[in-house]
Amino acid sequence: MHPHIEDYALIGDLQTAALVGRDGSIDWLCLPRFDSGACFAALLGTKENGHWGLAPHSPDARARRSYRGDSLILDTVWETPTGSVRVTDFMPQRDRAPDVVRIVEGLRGSVEMRGVLRLRFDYGRVVPWVRAAEGCRVAIAGPDSVWLRTPAQGRTYGKDFSTRSDFTVAEGERTAFVLTWHPSHEPRPTRIDPFEALQDTLEDWHAWSARCRYNGPHREAVIRSLIILKALTYAPTGGIVAAPTTSLPEELGGVRNWDYRYCWLRDASLTLNCLLSAGYLEEAGAWRDWLLRAVAGAPDDLQIMYGLAGERRLPETELPWLAGYLDSTPVRIGNAAVEQRQLDVYGEVIDSFHIARTAGLPAEPHAWSIQRALVDYLESTWRDPDEGLWEIRGSRRHFVHSKVMAWVAADRAVRTIEMYPKLSGDLDRWRAMRDEVHREVCAQGYDADRGTFTQFYGSTELDAATLLIPRVGFLPADDPRVVSTIDTVRRELSHDGLLRRYSTEGGSVDGLPGSEGAFLACSFWLVDALQLSGRRDEARELFERLLALRNDVGLLSEEYDPAARRQLGNFPQAFSHIGLVGTAFGLLDGAGAD
């Protein structure tokens, strides 16, 4: 049986990340980057597709786990009939080569341990040639090379195309495994000391976490979410991936399985707000700079997502040799939505630059020229239909959220010039655009009979994205149209109190069969809307319920199935954790109004 998605924890080195199961098995790891081929792909197939198990040999072993303080170092304590051990998993922030370190420490009595390493490069497809060299096991296949350093005690041997280690750990003893990847044509990288690396990694994370300036009642949840957001950052460029995984399903056994190992412009302004609110100016600046590089070029060539360094080509391919998580196929790498037209990203990018400027981040000389070009282009295209925020694979529509974000683009451009009059731009024309968009959305995107903003012009369908209308300033939170929209969306898109993005019945909008779970970011948006409209008790109650959906180490995926009571979608999901942080700050700011 596959573990539940919430049975996994995350470790990472700010360039890639691994998922570690409750059973002690690392079932997902892409090397050397988030978007590289996986060498452990059991998450989307079977153990034969690659994993690294390390656990007591006893079938009666029981585990409990936690992160060590405010870090990304995972401790799993195993209790067995003969004793207890702690397995510590982490990835040091790398100098050059990525390392995965697993330290086993005896706590009580003695425990027989077993390690099973199955390396399968290219997403579980390629079995490497393994040999012994320099006291290590070396696995090579094509461009990939992995060195496994094993403890001196015990026995390491090959069996069934895997490398196994049997050893016993007594109270007070420590032993370590180190797995290191490097290009097969290069010399072996310098060995690290695993115990020194543990101390250095712990100090690095604690120093980083201490910079957080949130001091509200949900500090533990906020810190953990910020650590996850930091872990999803590709340090060399400042880009932030939506998730470290691909093809974890939005519906068990369904086809809604997408690759999220890329950087979405839709997350831009929410991410920037999150980092700035928490006091992480360096990270916010790196993300802003990534945005500037990614969007540079012709305005009509703006994409909705990019690779870690701003790569534009992300071709979508299916991997038929992987059975999928709980038979959810196809398994996809790459993302065809990169070719979609989503007008809302112009608003999100321009809003991000406005937020950065008003927060005091040093302005880049060419940043305003890029923003001006984007607004000028949007002025001639905002009336066109698009695929919308949710990347539907059906027909283009006049999505209300896309039009609202076009208004945001014009509004932020106007406000920027009003605040900084020395900047150049056609203020009168942008004001006229802002007013025209506003009139059209209120006339064609609002259903007066039902009392709600709709998903697209002429539609009776709803969209949780309309909850962002007061947050972006399109209408005040106490406007009767906003209040009525909140109630209608909450009533009709609710799934046991949590929100779906939109209705998927019949696939009429998104062009896909099946359905999906409640979208966690949308549920955080509902908390924000309730808070802004003065319904603070309801907002806090829903927020506490959302916090309770986190797994035992504080992680959230993209969606949640209230009926099956399990997480769905790619994991952990930046959008969900950004929502948590933003909502926590919103509730804290609103507390003064009580």
Side-chain angles (χ1 to χ4, degrees):
M1 292 292 293
H2 259 104
H4 286 198
I5 290 171
E6 59 267 30
D7 287 338
Y8 288 100
L10 185 81
I11 59 173
D13 65 358
L14 310 188
Q15 295 191 43
T16 191
L19 293 187
V20 187
R22 291 180 190 269
D23 60 357
S25 179
I26 299 178
D27 287 347
W28 182 256
L29 174 62
C30 300
L31 291 172
R33 308 192 337 171
F34 290 106
D35 57 352
S36 299
C39 62
F40 301 142
L43 178 71
L44 300 177
T46 70
K47 297 297 187 185
E48 293 301 319
N49 295 120
H51 77 114
W52 185 9
L54 182 60
H57 192 47
S58 169
D60 298 320
R62 297 292 179 266
R64 66 181 186 277
R65 62 185 183 171
S66 63
Y67 285 112
R68 189 173 299 188
D70 294 333
S71 79
L72 204 65
I73 297 170
L74 180 69
D75 286 325
T76 303
V77 175
W78 292 90
E79 299 289 346
T80 78
T82 62
S84 61
V85 297
R86 175 168 53 223
V87 178
T88 299
D89 295 320
F90 68 100
M91 295 183 70
Q93 294 184 25
R94 72 178 78 167
D95 177 23
R96 183 180 177 189
D99 298 287
V100 180
V101 181
R102 313 194 77 177
I103 296 174
V104 185
E105 180 180 2
L107 303 179
R108 177 180 58 82
S110 65
V111 179
E112 294 182 4
M113 300 289 293
R114 167 161 290 177
V116 180
L117 174 69
R118 286 187 179 89
L119 284 161
R120 300 291 187 267
F121 297 118
D122 192 23
Y123 301 99
R125 189 179 192 184
V126 177
V127 180
W129 183 267
V130 180
R131 60 183 173 86
E134 302 178 36
C136 299
R137 296 281 169 155
V138 185
I140 296 177
D144 297 295
S145 178
V146 165
W147 292 68
L148 175 68
R149 196 182 344 155
T150 59
Q153 69 266 40
R155 185 169 70 101
T156 299
Y157 56 98
K159 182 179 179 181
D160 298 332
F161 298 99
S162 68
T163 298
R164 305 198 176 199
S165 298
D166 295 331
F167 60 101
T168 300
V169 178
E171 181 177 339
E173 293 181 344
R174 286 197 307 175
T175 191
F177 294 79
V178 181
L179 183 147
T180 305
W181 178 94
H182 71 101
S184 59
H185 65 278
E186 293 184 359
R188 177 186 177 181
T190 303
R191 296 188 184 192
I192 65 167
D193 182 304
F195 304 107
E196 288 183 4
L198 174 61
Q199 187 60 34
D200 291 344
T201 302
L202 185 64
E203 291 174 0
D204 287 345
W205 277 112
H206 281 175
W208 187 86
S209 300
R211 291 164 48 200
C212 177
R213 62 187 183 199
Y214 176 86
N215 289 307
H218 303 103
R219 183 173 174 81
E220 177 274 329
V222 169
I223 288 286
R224 180 53 51 196
S225 290
L226 288 166
I227 288 172
I228 296 305
L229 189 58
K230 176 70 170 177
L232 298 181
T233 302
Y234 184 64
T237 66
I240 300 173
V241 297
T245 58
T246 178
S247 299
L248 287 177
E250 298 170 6
E251 178 187 31
L252 295 178
V255 301
R256 297 167 183 262
N257 317 316
W258 317 109
D259 193 346
Y260 275 18
R261 299 171 299 155
Y262 307 113
C263 307
W264 264 258
L265 298 189
R266 74 175 184 211
D267 304 355
S269 58
L270 296 176
T271 302
L272 203 61
N273 254 329
C274 171
L275 293 170
L276 290 169
S277 297
Y280 290 102
L281 301 185
E282 181 181 341
E283 287 75 10
W287 175 237
R288 189 276 314 270
D289 292 344
W290 180 91
L291 283 172
L292 277 172
R293 294 191 300 271
V295 306
D300 62 348
D301 198 29
L302 188 70
Q303 297 185 176
I304 67 166
M305 72 181 87
Y306 295 85
L308 305 178
E311 298 91 345
R312 290 174 172 264
R313 293 185 65 251
L314 310 174
E316 187 174 296
T317 306
E318 297 181 3
L319 307 182
W321 62 87
L322 289 175
Y325 180 85
L326 288 179
D327 298 321
S328 304
T329 56
V331 171
R332 297 180 174 96
I333 59 171
N335 200 313
V338 71
E339 303 293 339
Q340 288 190 357
R341 177 187 184 85
Q342 295 181 22
L343 295 174
D344 63 289
V345 299
Y346 290 86
E348 283 140 6
V349 169
I350 292 166
D351 191 28
S352 298
F353 292 140
H354 179 72
I355 291 168
R357 185 183 291 274
T358 55
L361 290 182
E364 294 291 338
H366 62 288
W368 177 244
S369 297
I370 292 175
Q371 295 168 72
R372 193 175 58 208
L374 293 175
V375 178
D376 287 343
Y377 173 75
L378 187 60
E379 183 184 18
S380 63
T381 58
W382 69 265
R383 299 172 185 83
D384 299 336
D386 70 344
E387 277 92 359
L389 170 71
W390 303 126
E391 299 166 15
I392 64 160
R393 300 205 173 190
S395 302
R396 288 182 175 179
R397 317 272 184 156
H398 289 282
F399 286 100
V400 170
H401 177 263
S402 296
K403 309 300 185 185
V404 168
M405 294 310 296
W407 176 91
V408 168
D411 177 73
R412 302 311 190 257
V414 167
R415 289 165 59 181
T416 299
I417 290 187
E418 290 175 343
M419 294 173 63
Y420 304 96
K422 292 183 179 180
L423 295 175
S424 61
D426 196 328
L427 194 57
D428 291 338
R429 203 174 77 235
W430 292 344
R431 281 175 176 153
M433 171 188 166
R434 180 177 64 177
D435 293 344
E436 184 182 355
V437 176
H438 199 279
R439 285 193 301 271
E440 181 179 293
V441 170
C442 290
Q444 299 189 47
Y446 184 75
D447 185 337
D449 293 335
R450 299 179 63 207
T452 184
F453 283 96
T454 59
Q455 186 174 39
F456 53 88
Y457 291 175
S459 170
T460 59
E461 300 291 336
L462 302 180
D463 192 325
T466 56
L467 294 174
L468 294 171
I469 284 175
R471 181 168 176 165
V472 301
F474 184 84
L475 286 173
D478 59 356
D479 186 289
R481 292 166 292 184
V482 171
V483 174
S484 180
T485 296
I486 294 171
D487 289 335
T488 306
V489 166
R490 190 181 192 185
R491 181 175 62 251
E492 297 190 20
L493 292 184
S494 175
H495 189 181
D496 193 25
L498 305 176
L499 284 193
R500 296 171 294 159
R501 294 184 290 180
Y502 52 86
S503 174
T504 58
E505 280 73 17
S508 58
V509 174
D510 62 22
L512 295 167
S515 61
E516 62 181 32
F519 200 83
L520 294 176
C522 295
S523 299
F524 284 115
W525 296 347
L526 177 57
V527 178
D528 298 338
L530 291 170
Q531 162 74 13
L532 289 170
S533 61
R535 296 153 71 173
R536 299 182 185 90
D537 290 342
E538 294 176 63
R540 293 190 187 107
E541 181 181 354
L542 179 55
F543 186 63
E544 294 294 341
R545 183 180 176 193
L546 288 166
L547 291 182
L549 300 181
R550 298 176 300 151
N551 73 355
D552 58 316
V553 289
L555 308 189
L556 288 170
S557 64
E558 181 183 26
E559 300 184 5
Y560 186 79
D561 183 342
R565 298 188 180 277
R566 58 187 299 177
Q567 297 193 26
L568 296 172
N570 285 305
F571 173 89
Q573 177 80 2
F575 215 33
S576 299
H577 286 282
I578 291 167
L580 188 157
V581 174
T583 298
F585 271 100
L587 291 173
L588 184 64
D589 293 341
D594 289 348

